[in-house]
């Protein structure tokens, strides 16, 4: 069965076609929403408009696809009060396509899409059936969560102020790079070979990251190189995540750990985390950052497994 996935997050318009029987992503398109130079985001009404334009262009090229089900992310998280207008663009398209093709329509959250995409890349069916920890770290979340049966069931901890992706993007934009700026920050950080010590702010399962932005600004003002400051930023995030993970494991016990979200594409963060938590499961950037692959796979699993 080929399933169509649609995800219209606050960062990108994503559409994917997955041949589930052959474990093959046959189409994956992601278009970042345009952001004015020097800015770090869009108003929701502008994001909604950009999604509609992007989806129109993407779907105009679809011809002759034998789609068996449609999946769409309709909200950021698996919580009753979770809502963001930009997801309405994907929802509108998904319902129209599913009705026209007379195929099942499966809703999911953006966060569950990230989890499913990561598990799909790891390709271990047993993980879909187990209780595990998931870290979702992006421009809109810095959450550590409990997942069961392939679905996020509980958020255990989060950032109480700034999200990790926001800290990275703000640093990158300050350095003159376009939003989203994570790729540029990571590339600069890789050029710094210094070992950097940081003091993080973690209490229980929650963290604070607003101080990180101030510290990066101070380092730049004091003449530190942009490579050093970028590595400082990513090291701070990595050390924060490690402490959150260890605190959760002390209470809940050891269990599989999956890391997803755009910030987890950083090789600097991956190196630091895996040195301290060797069994942490990172996935390839295509499956870690915002995408519709997990949404498509989730639709298949819901339809075939009831």
């Amino acid at each position: 069965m080929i399933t169509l996935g649609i995800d219209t997050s606050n960062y990108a318009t994503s559409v994917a076609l997955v041949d589930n029987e052959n474990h093959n992503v046959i189409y994956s398109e992601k278009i970042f929403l345009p952001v004015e130079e020097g800015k770090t985001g869009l108003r929701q009404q502008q994001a909604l408009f950009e999604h509609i334009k992007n989806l129109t262009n993407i779907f105009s090229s679809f011809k002759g696809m034998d789609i068996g089900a449609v999946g769409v992310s309709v909200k950021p998280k698996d919580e009753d009060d979770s809502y963001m207008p930009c997801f309405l663009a994907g929802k509108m398209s998904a319902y129209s396509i599913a009705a026209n093709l007379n195929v099942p329509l499966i809703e999911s959250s953006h966060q569950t899409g990230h989890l499913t995409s990561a598990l799909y890349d790891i390709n271990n069916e047993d993980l879909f059936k187990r209780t595990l920890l998931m870290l979702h770290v992006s421009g809109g979340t810095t959450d550590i969560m409990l997942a069961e049966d392939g679905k996020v069931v509980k958020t255990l901890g989060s950032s109480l102020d700034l999200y990790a992706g926001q800290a990275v993007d703000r640093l990158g934009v300050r350095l003159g790079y376009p939003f989203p700026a994570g790729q540029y920050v990571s590339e600069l950080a890789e050029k710094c070979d210094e070992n950097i010590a940081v003091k993080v702010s973690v209490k229980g399962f929650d963290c604070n990251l607003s101080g990180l932005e101030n510290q990066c600004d101070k380092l730049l003002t004091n003449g530190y190189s942009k490579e050093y400051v970028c590595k400082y930023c990513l090291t701070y995030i990595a050390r924060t995540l490690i402490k959150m993970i260890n605190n959760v494991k002390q209470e809940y016990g050891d269990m599989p750990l999956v890391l997803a979200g755009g910030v987890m594409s950083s090789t600097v963060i991956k190196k630091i985390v895996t040195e301290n938590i060797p069994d942490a499961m990172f996935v390839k950037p295509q499956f870690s950052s915002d995408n519709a692959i997990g949404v498509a796979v989730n639709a298949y699993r819901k339809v075939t497994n009831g």
Side-chain angles (χ1 to χ4, degrees):
M1 179 193 293
I2 294 175
T3 51
L4 168 67
I6 304 171
D7 180 62
T8 51
S9 72
N10 211 33
Y11 273 77
T13 308
S14 303
V15 174
L17 286 168
V18 178
D19 178 356
N20 296 273
E21 306 295 342
N22 296 305
H23 198 82
N24 182 33
V25 179
I26 58 179
Y27 178 89
S28 180
E29 179 71 30
K30 178 169 68 174
I31 304 174
F32 284 111
L33 304 184
V35 176
E36 184 181 343
E37 184 176 349
K39 302 292 185 181
T40 56
L42 287 174
R43 293 195 187 96
Q44 280 295 297
Q45 59 264 39
Q46 183 65 28
L48 184 61
F49 174 68
E50 296 296 339
H51 280 310
I52 292 171
K53 287 199 303 181
N54 291 341
L55 290 172
T56 301
N57 292 332
I58 290 172
F59 288 131
S60 64
S61 65
F62 275 38
K63 295 179 181 178
M65 290 292 181
D66 186 17
I67 296 170
V70 178
V72 60
S73 56
V74 297
K75 57 183 180 179
K77 301 181 181 182
D78 287 289
E79 298 171 0
D80 291 339
D81 60 349
S82 182
Y83 173 75
M84 193 173 282
C86 59
F87 288 98
L88 292 173
K91 184 175 181 179
M92 177 181 65
S93 296
Y95 270 80
S96 298
I97 293 170
N100 183 263
L101 297 178
N102 194 27
V103 297
L105 186 286
I106 304 297
E107 294 186 356
S108 72
S109 73
H110 175 73
Q111 208 158 59
T112 287
H114 269 289
L115 172 64
T116 308
S117 179
L119 295 181
Y120 177 83
D121 183 44
I122 296 168
N123 197 19
N124 181 347
E125 182 63 27
D126 183 56
L127 290 177
F128 277 101
K129 305 170 186 176
R130 296 187 61 182
T131 299
L132 50 84
L133 289 176
M134 176 193 176
L135 260 173
H136 180 197
V137 188
S138 68
T141 57
T142 303
D143 295 346
I144 185 165
M145 298 161 292
L146 203 62
E148 294 177 353
D149 299 322
K151 182 179 179 180
V152 176
V153 295
K154 185 179 182 181
T155 299
L156 302 175
S158 184
S159 173
L160 300 178
D161 40 43
L162 195 68
Y163 297 125
Q166 289 177 309
V168 172
D169 285 328
R170 290 180 184 183
L171 173 59
V173 169
R174 172 168 178 175
L175 293 174
Y177 295 101
F179 177 90
Q183 173 189 344
Y184 308 103
V185 171
S186 187
E187 289 173 355
L188 287 170
E190 290 170 10
K191 297 177 182 179
C192 177
D193 57 7
E194 295 188 52
N195 292 320
I196 299 175
V198 297
K199 184 177 180 181
V200 301
S201 177
V202 176
K203 186 175 182 180
F205 305 155
D206 297 316
C207 68
N208 293 91
L209 293 171
S210 59
L212 172 58
E213 182 180 14
N214 297 330
Q215 290 172 46
C216 289
D217 287 343
K218 185 176 180 180
L219 289 171
L220 289 171
T221 300
N222 290 340
Y224 283 82
S225 71
K226 57 186 179 181
E227 291 82 5
Y228 180 94
V229 178
C230 287
K231 187 171 183 181
Y232 180 95
C233 177
L234 298 182
T235 300
Y236 190 103
I237 291 170
R239 293 295 177 186
T240 296
L241 300 179
I242 291 167
K243 192 162 186 179
M244 291 171 71
I245 293 165
N246 287 336
N247 287 352
V248 168
K249 286 191 172 187
Q250 283 182 4
E251 181 163 330
Y252 283 83
D254 198 23
M255 64 183 77
L257 171 67
V258 176
L259 300 99
V263 178
M264 294 295 93
S265 300
S266 165
T267 56
V268 173
I269 291 178
K270 180 180 179 180
K271 182 176 185 295
I272 295 171
V273 172
T274 52
E275 284 175 348
N276 290 270
I277 307 175
D279 60 347
M281 289 180 281
F282 285 78
V283 297
K284 293 187 285 293
Q286 178 189 13
F287 299 91
S288 181
S289 59
D290 287 7
N291 63 74
I293 297 170
V295 179
V297 174
N298 184 63
Y300 168 77
R301 297 185 65 84
K302 293 288 185 180
V303 170
T304 56
N305 297 329

